[in-house]
Amino acid sequence: MRKILFTALFFPAMIVVNAQNITQQLQKAYQQFADDSQLKHAISSFYVIDAATGQVVFDKNSQIGLAPASTQKIITAATAFELLTPDYGYKTWFYMNGGMKKDTLKGDLIIKGTGDPSFGSSRYESSTRKETLETILDIFKLQHIKYISGDIIIDESGFETNSVPTGWIWQDIGNYYGAGAYALNWNENQYDMILTGGAKEGDPVTLEKTDPELEIHSFINELKSGAKGSGDNGYIFLTPYNDKGFVRGSIPAGAQNFSISGSLPYPAYQFNHELQQALSAGGIEVGGKFRTSLEFQISKEPLHYTDKPFNFIISSALAKMVDWFLKKSINLYGEAFIKTIAYEKNGFGSTDKGIDILKNFWKQKGIDPEELNIIDGSGLSPEDRVTTHAQVEILKYARKQSWYTYFYNALPEYNNMKMKSGTIKDVKAFCGYQKAANGKEYIFSFLVNNYSGGSSLLVNKMYKVLDLLK
């Protein structure tokens, strides 16, 4: 009996000792990390809790807002799962503003976008550019449309014209990772620029073509050839709705078929261009023009059509998009999700309104809105500020939800740990879940801002601290 009583008393004490041990180990490792010369002018925050009990295991600066880079995506993804649901599908609608007479549409045909970031994306078999255009041809054939007497109009009026969040920097927005979110997106709003390097360092670079061929563009090519093996140091500077841009930086000397990727300045125009080609090849004539709702807005023309659509295209489920969003860190998806939340809740897709809804949702769950001082959905902006406490609380909340399996599986793996990474200039971040060898499960967030030196060196030092959770 005494033996049983001793065991019963000893076991809880052992748990406390183990908890103290991991805390002490983390304190020692973190202090060594913070004292490193790479952190001399930096600030970092590290917060760890026991996933089962919520007990704080380690806390350093957990209430200090820091730039989270792409770890902010876990906040957007969790909010999208809650407010849109994993099964949510984007619909692209087809309307007429005229009647059919035999095989002729006497009027305009309107395609209304609602923000689908996967429209024309090669990541999904059913929604590649080719498949999407073929689906549209099939929709026309179902209506027996062979001739449209009026215009084909892309209606983007459900989303704001401000496609790029305030706070994104000039160096980012012309490149693929800086693509804005529109009511109608196309090919993830991306194109490739195919280049040939000069024979030697310093020689001009030849711009061979773009893939796909851009509907409208004019580039001033200022690229130079760098040293052989120097890699991609080319940047595209092209703002939304513009047709003139610059290409600067360098690619390796002697490089053949070298590509850098840019963001489409106006996806609706590119989609119109490719749709026009597809309709012509499919034997469908258009008597009018290809127009967008932005043109109507500029000219102050009313855009009228029947309230009843005659068909639609639906996207893959949100859960599948979140998988790509977190694993490949696609910024476009985060911006689309934020605007979609506003569109579904308030009827208009706006980044600012979507963020207001996001912050209010987490406020109801006990998180101070000031801990989520964000201006976009992807973390690309260097102006974003998030606390590690808020990130861990959101990860803790996600763990108890019906959609957690989708969320957890979507997280990438780094250092044999299930966690999202984040990187922008002088910012490195990780947050996620870890199950230790002893069965303990931890939730953590680790943010570092304004470090010096190479990022790979810093990452290895961060891993050394995180390894204690294994």
Side-chain angles (χ1 to χ4, degrees):
M1 183 68 180
R2 283 198 300 269
K3 185 177 180 181
I4 295 171
L5 180 60
F6 175 78
T7 303
L9 292 171
F10 176 74
F11 186 67
M14 187 171 64
I15 293 174
V16 172
V17 169
N18 286 339
Q20 289 173 342
N21 284 343
I22 184 63
T23 298
Q24 290 166 356
Q25 291 172 41
L26 288 171
Q27 285 173 341
K28 183 178 178 181
Y30 179 83
Q31 191 58 54
Q32 184 177 357
F33 171 80
D35 290 341
D36 190 278
S37 60
Q38 274 198 280
L39 279 293
K40 183 178 180 180
H41 304 292
I43 183 168
S44 61
S45 175
F46 187 36
Y47 188 56
V48 184
I49 67 168
D50 184 309
T53 66
Q55 179 182 356
V56 177
V57 176
F58 184 84
D59 181 351
K60 183 64 177 179
N61 294 332
S62 69
Q63 292 293 334
I64 301 296
L66 298 176
S70 282
T71 60
Q72 185 164 302
K73 291 180 171 69
I74 65 103
I75 301 170
T76 302
T79 310
F81 273 140
E82 275 290 280
L83 300 183
L84 299 175
T85 77
D87 295 330
Y88 180 87
Y90 285 87
K91 290 180 179 177
T92 302
W93 298 97
F94 292 79
Y95 297 82
M96 300 179 185
N97 73 351
M100 289 295 300
K101 186 173 182 181
K102 294 185 179 180
D103 59 2
T104 297
L105 169 57
K106 295 284 189 178
D108 303 323
L109 187 139
I110 298 97
I111 302 174
K112 182 178 177 65
T114 61
D116 179 5
S118 70
F119 197 61
S121 169
S122 61
R123 299 183 199 275
Y124 314 85
E125 288 185 10
S126 62
S127 65
T128 65
R129 287 160 51 218
K130 181 175 181 293
E131 288 292 329
T132 301
L133 292 170
E134 288 178 355
T135 299
I136 294 172
L137 284 175
D138 289 341
I139 286 172
F140 286 11
K141 288 173 184 176
L142 280 173
Q143 294 296 128
H144 307 291
I145 299 172
K146 289 186 179 180
Y147 182 74
I148 300 169
S149 66
D151 299 333
I152 289 186
I153 302 164
I154 307 301
D155 183 3
E156 300 182 283
S157 60
F159 273 33
E160 64 182 340
T161 56
N162 187 24
S163 62
V164 174
T166 303
W168 280 17
I169 64 175
W170 169 231
Q171 189 175 15
D172 289 341
I173 59 176
N175 300 284
Y176 75 96
Y177 54 86
Y182 301 75
L184 189 133
N185 303 294
W186 184 242
N187 194 42
E188 294 187 356
N189 300 344
Q190 179 177 328
Y191 66 93
D192 294 330
M193 187 175 282
I194 313 302
L195 307 162
T196 300
K200 62 183 187 299
E201 189 173 350
D203 282 353
V205 171
T206 303
L207 198 171
E208 304 289 355
K209 63 179 180 177
T210 62
D211 182 21
E213 178 187 0
L214 294 185
E215 195 271 336
I216 50 169
H217 79 277
S218 176
F219 289 107
I220 297 173
N221 179 11
E222 299 176 354
L223 281 166
K224 298 294 182 184
S225 300
K228 290 189 176 182
S230 57
D232 178 4
N233 293 295
Y235 291 91
I236 301 168
F237 297 86
L238 178 61
T239 56
Y241 307 106
N242 207 338
D243 64 349
K244 295 176 179 62
F246 301 83
V247 198
R248 297 174 179 141
S250 68
I251 67 168
Q256 302 289 320
N257 292 317
F258 194 94
S259 71
I260 62 176
S261 297
S263 61
L264 291 172
Y266 193 13
Y269 274 6
Q270 183 65 28
F271 169 71
N272 262 343
H273 174 60
E274 296 184 37
L275 177 60
Q276 188 171 6
Q277 293 176 324
L279 294 178
S280 178
I284 298 173
E285 296 182 57
V286 180
K289 298 180 292 185
F290 286 74
R291 307 175 70 190
T292 70
S293 55
L294 182 60
E295 295 173 45
F296 283 78
Q297 186 176 341
I298 291 169
S299 64
K300 295 183 171 55
E301 294 178 71
L303 175 55
H304 296 303
Y305 54 93
T306 174
D307 290 336
K308 187 176 180 181
F310 67 86
N311 215 321
F312 64 88
I313 295 174
I314 190 165
S315 71
S316 296
L318 179 82
K320 196 167 184 179
M321 293 189 196
V322 168
D323 196 72
W324 285 110
F325 175 49
L326 295 183
K327 281 192 171 71
K328 296 300 181 182
S329 213
I330 307 169
N331 294 327
L332 167 66
Y333 285 25
E335 305 317 321
F337 294 160
I338 287 291
K339 288 184 176 180
T340 302
I341 288 168
Y343 180 80
E344 290 293 345
K345 301 303 177 184
N346 285 352
F348 185 69
S350 155
T351 297
D352 289 347
K353 182 52 67 174
I355 287 170
D356 286 345
I357 294 168
L358 177 151
K359 292 172 74 170
N360 186 58
F361 172 79
W362 291 112
K363 180 181 179 181
Q364 294 170 20
K365 304 302 177 186
I367 298 175
D368 185 343
E370 296 301 317
E371 293 189 62
L372 299 173
N373 188 11
I374 59 177
I375 60 175
D376 64 12
S378 63
L380 183 60
S381 173
E383 294 183 15
D384 291 318
R385 296 292 181 269
V386 170
T387 68
T388 53
H389 171 265
Q391 288 189 314
V392 167
E393 285 296 304
I394 289 167
L395 289 167
K396 182 176 76 172
Y397 177 86
R399 193 169 173 269
K400 299 176 182 178
Q401 307 311 309
S402 60
W403 41 262
Y404 174 66
T405 300
Y406 295 118
F407 182 76
Y408 181 83
N409 289 339
L411 289 171
E413 287 190 15
Y414 299 98
N415 192 38
N416 296 316
M417 303 176 77
K418 202 71 171 169
M419 59 186 183
K420 185 75 189 80
S421 71
T423 306
I424 55 176
K425 182 175 171 54
D426 299 332
V427 173
K428 194 65 197 177
F430 295 102
C431 68
Y433 306 94
Q434 178 60 31
K435 187 172 184 178
N438 65 4
K440 277 278 188 184
E441 293 186 50
Y442 300 105
I443 305 174
F444 64 89
S445 176
F446 197 176
L447 306 181
V448 182
N449 283 195
N450 204 46
Y451 66 91
S452 59
S455 63
S456 60
L457 288 173
L458 181 77
V459 166
N460 288 332
K461 293 166 187 174
M462 294 175 77
Y463 283 172
K464 190 174 179 180
V465 179
L466 291 171
D467 282 344
L468 294 173
L469 302 178
K470 293 181 177 178

